[in-house]
Amino acid sequence: MTAHTARNAGAERVESARPAPEAASAGEIGGLPWIEDAGKIAPSDARELSRLFFGRLQVLEEGTPAHQYARNTLIEMNLSLVRFAAGRFRNRAGGDMEDIVQVGTIGLIKAIDRFELSREVEFTSFAVPYITGEIKRFFRDTTWAVHVPRRLQELRVDLAKTKESLVTELDREPTVPELAAHMGLSEEEITEGIVAANGYAAGSLDMPADPSEAGRRHAAGRTFADVLGGPDPALETVENLHVLAPLLGCLDARERRIIDMRFGQEMTQSLIGAELGISQMHVSRLISRILRKLRSGMFVEE
């Protein structure tokens, strides 16, 4: 789910729960007091009112204006829980807390729809895990630039914590064997986790290749795009020669000699004919036949 989808979903759910204006004109809806702005209610008062509203929500018929009013008011009264839970992810939000609050609101709505007073637990204790779970799911599904397995996502977090601990203890960056020994994993698993962590964020190719120039607005140094490798035009030739080598070994001695003289020593067909005691036309037919044999061997599908 993207942040835009989360925002729209949360807005649609809250909007659908609003009662009709004529229903709100009465001082009471479905046996519940009319609250003009539920978002301004203090958290201590919201806890008491939430019990009242949950009690009525369970007996009201779903889809009626009274049921919609009770559900919507519960959402607005408990938005402080979303802001509290979202605050724990402030450092990971990249400066945009609005998306996190919107995602957390979806978790709050799920908690309200599933809460029952018979559980004999405070709604806050029941709702916070739903809210934080929704936010964590959002980070897991949307913040990685490259999708990696859940196991490696979790390993990245453990690696970061272990690195931070060992840097303090060793006063230097820990090595892969040290990380493996500390975490009880193999060196291959640690290496896999470090490589996977590179997929968490994608950098721009216009960033300076030298980290010391990253903070300069008009750095004249080379960017990553400048040092990025391109296709090597000679690579195809290397691949062709690799395939051609065993095919040349299948030729007889005379055919290999002709190929060597024509393409290795760059002799003309007339010189080859004189060397072998045959005509230039015969040399041309032999070369054409040998090349057809080599080409057919190179294009055979395995």
Side-chain angles (χ1 to χ4, degrees):
M1 176 184 293
T2 63
H4 178 71
T5 305
R7 185 183 300 111
N8 287 345
E12 289 172 2
R13 295 190 187 199
V14 173
E15 192 64 32
S16 65
R18 295 189 181 279
E22 59 270 17
S25 61
E28 193 175 273
I29 298 179
L32 293 170
W34 168 250
I35 300 176
E36 185 66 32
D37 191 348
K40 293 183 178 179
I41 296 177
S44 56
D45 296 331
R47 282 194 293 270
E48 295 299 324
L49 283 171
S50 290
R51 296 187 65 83
L52 171 63
F53 274 75
F54 272 119
R56 292 296 301 157
L57 187 68
Q58 293 176 1
V59 299
L60 291 171
E61 183 180 353
E62 187 173 352
T64 62
H67 184 277
Q68 293 175 346
Y69 166 70
R71 182 171 177 268
N72 182 62
T73 304
L74 282 167
I75 294 171
E76 294 180 352
M77 280 196 301
N78 290 282
L79 283 176
S80 59
L81 293 176
V82 177
R83 290 189 288 270
F84 168 77
R88 297 168 52 188
F89 300 88
R90 187 177 304 277
N91 294 334
R92 298 174 59 184
D96 190 0
M97 285 295 294
E98 180 185 354
D99 291 339
I100 309 305
V101 171
Q102 291 290 344
V103 171
T105 302
I106 295 177
L108 172 64
I109 293 172
K110 290 180 178 179
I112 289 173
D113 291 341
R114 298 171 187 177
F115 181 71
E116 297 177 2
L117 285 174
S118 59
R119 296 176 182 270
E120 297 183 355
V121 296
E122 287 289 336
F123 175 68
T124 53
S125 302
F126 180 82
V128 169
Y130 274 91
I131 297 169
T132 56
E134 201 69 30
I135 295 174
K136 288 180 179 179
R137 189 177 299 110
F138 168 75
F139 278 114
R140 186 188 70 221
D141 295 340
T142 63
T143 56
W144 282 77
V146 178
H147 179 72
V148 299
R150 176 78 177 275
R151 172 182 62 85
L152 294 178
Q153 293 182 18
E154 295 173 348
L155 179 57
R156 170 188 170 272
V157 177
D158 294 337
L159 271 172
K161 293 178 181 178
T162 304
K163 276 188 176 181
E164 184 178 355
S165 174
L166 289 178
V167 164
T168 304
E169 180 181 334
L170 303 173
D171 198 24
R172 60 173 173 79
E173 284 288 326
T175 63
V176 169
E178 288 170 341
L179 288 168
H182 195 275
M183 299 179 66
L185 299 172
S186 67
E187 294 183 19
E188 290 75 14
E189 289 174 305
I190 296 297
T191 302
E192 186 182 18
I194 293 173
V195 172
N198 293 330
Y200 183 73
S204 171
L205 291 177
D206 294 326
M207 292 175 60
D210 185 354
S212 62
E213 298 178 351
R216 303 178 189 175
R217 295 185 59 186
H218 303 289
R222 294 186 303 174
T223 65
F224 282 110
D226 295 328
V227 299
L228 189 66
D232 189 341
L235 183 60
E236 185 176 357
T237 301
V238 174
E239 293 176 344
N240 289 338
L241 290 175
H242 182 72
V243 176
L244 186 61
L247 297 176
L248 290 172
C250 295
L251 300 177
D252 58 39
R254 186 188 188 200
E255 290 174 332
R256 285 198 300 271
R257 186 182 178 193
I258 292 174
I259 290 296
D260 176 63
M261 287 190 291
R262 180 68 184 93
F263 299 101
Q265 303 176 40
E266 297 185 351
M267 295 171 60
T268 64
Q269 294 181 3
S270 298
L271 290 175
I272 296 173
E275 181 76 19
L276 298 178
I278 57 178
S279 68
Q280 176 185 347
M281 184 66 68
H282 192 186
V283 172
S284 177
R285 287 198 296 268
L286 287 174
I287 292 175
S288 297
R289 187 184 68 187
I290 295 170
L291 292 180
R292 282 197 301 272
K293 184 190 297 186
L294 294 174
R295 289 192 183 101
S296 63
M298 292 184 68
F299 288 106
V300 169
E301 295 185 1
E302 297 294 339

